[in-house]
Amino acid sequence: MKAPLFVLVSLLVASAAVYLGSFLLPDSYEVRRSIVVNARPEQVFTYLNNPTEWEKWNVWNKAYDPTMIRLYGGPLTGKGAYQEWNGDKVGMVKVHFTDSTPPTELYYKQLTKGEDFETIGIFSLEPLEEGTQVVWQQRSKVAGDPYNKYRGFFKKLKTEQETEQSLLSLKALFDPVAKEESKAQLANRKGRS
C-alpha cells in the first residue's frame, strides 16, 4: 500500500515542480548569432534581400524537407517581398520583408501556422577588412501558459541550431573551405543525434 502512495505523491510533486518551473521561463525569446563571410556586404545582401535566394543557404530547404513547396510574392527584392513555404517537417510559414536598407539591414516578420505570435527578424551587415560580419537576430513572444512556455524554450534551442547552420551555409556560398567545414559540422551533429 505504501508503494502506490509513494508513486502518487512523487507524481504530484513532479507535476507541481514542472508547473511552477514554467513561471521561471520567459514569455519571449531572442536568438542572436553572427558570422564573418568572405565577401562584400553587397554580395552577401543579394542572398538575404531576395526571398528566392533563401533556399541556397537557409536550413529550411528541400534537403531538410523534400515535401516543401515554396511560393513567392510582392516585389522580387526588398520591402514587400515575401515567401511562403509548406512541408511535412516545416509546416506552413510566411516570411514578409518589412524594411530593407541595402546593403546593411533587412527586417522581416515570420508567421508560422499554429503559433500565436510572429517572429521579428533582423539581418545587419557590417563591412570588415576580412569580409562582412552578418548578424541575425530573431525575437518572438510565447503564450503565457505553462505548456507554451516550455514549447518556447525548446523552440529557442532549435532556432539557435538552425540559425547557426544557416549562417554557415551562407558563408559556404562564398568560401569553398567553409563549405567543407559546414559539411563536417553537419555530419558531426547527425552522428551525435
Side-chain angles (χ1 to χ4, degrees):
M1 187 71 174
K2 287 186 177 184
L5 182 62
F6 176 76
V7 170
L8 180 62
V9 170
S10 297
L11 286 174
L12 288 173
V13 169
S15 297
V18 168
Y19 178 76
L20 294 173
S22 71
F23 290 103
L24 299 174
L25 296 172
D27 58 359
S28 64
Y29 68 86
E30 180 173 339
V31 173
R32 178 187 166 103
R33 295 290 183 267
S34 66
I35 198 165
V36 175
V37 176
N38 187 21
R40 295 187 320 275
E42 300 81 24
Q43 295 171 296
V44 179
F45 200 74
T46 300
Y47 287 93
L48 305 177
N49 200 39
N50 181 341
T52 64
E53 298 289 338
W54 278 40
E55 190 166 359
K56 294 178 181 172
W57 59 269
N58 194 302
V59 293
W60 285 14
N61 57 36
K62 285 269 195 192
Y64 176 73
D65 186 349
T67 66
M68 180 185 273
I69 298 171
R70 288 181 182 266
L71 301 170
Y72 304 98
L76 183 60
T77 63
K79 184 177 179 177
Y82 69 89
Q83 61 180 315
E84 296 179 25
W85 57 80
N86 188 1
D88 292 342
K89 284 186 180 179
V90 296
M92 289 183 73
V93 179
K94 181 175 183 178
V95 175
H96 182 255
F97 295 174
T98 56
D99 198 14
S100 176
T101 309
T104 57
E105 287 185 323
L106 175 68
Y107 290 77
Y108 67 87
K109 290 182 180 180
Q110 175 179 314
L111 186 59
T112 304
K113 185 176 181 182
E115 294 186 5
D116 296 333
F117 300 102
E118 61 192 8
T119 298
I120 305 297
I122 305 167
F123 287 101
S124 303
L125 284 73
E126 181 183 340
L128 302 172
E129 279 186 31
E130 62 274 18
T132 300
Q133 181 176 27
V134 180
V135 178
W136 189 1
Q137 293 176 278
Q138 298 170 80
R139 288 178 290 210
S140 186
K141 287 190 174 277
V142 176
D145 61 276
Y147 170 76
N148 281 305
K149 283 193 167 190
Y150 279 108
R151 192 171 158 226
F153 172 76
F154 289 109
K155 183 168 182 185
K156 178 184 179 189
L157 297 177
K158 184 178 179 188
T159 301
E160 288 171 345
Q161 288 180 337
E162 292 170 345
T163 301
E164 288 172 10
Q165 189 56 50
S166 293
L167 288 173
L168 286 170
S169 295
L170 181 66
K171 180 177 180 147
L173 290 172
F174 300 97
D175 186 351
V177 173
K179 189 172 192 171
E180 292 307 314
E181 289 172 359
S182 178
K183 285 181 185 177
Q185 286 179 345
L186 255 180
N188 285 339
R189 279 202 183 126
K190 287 181 182 177
R192 284 184 258 155
S193 299

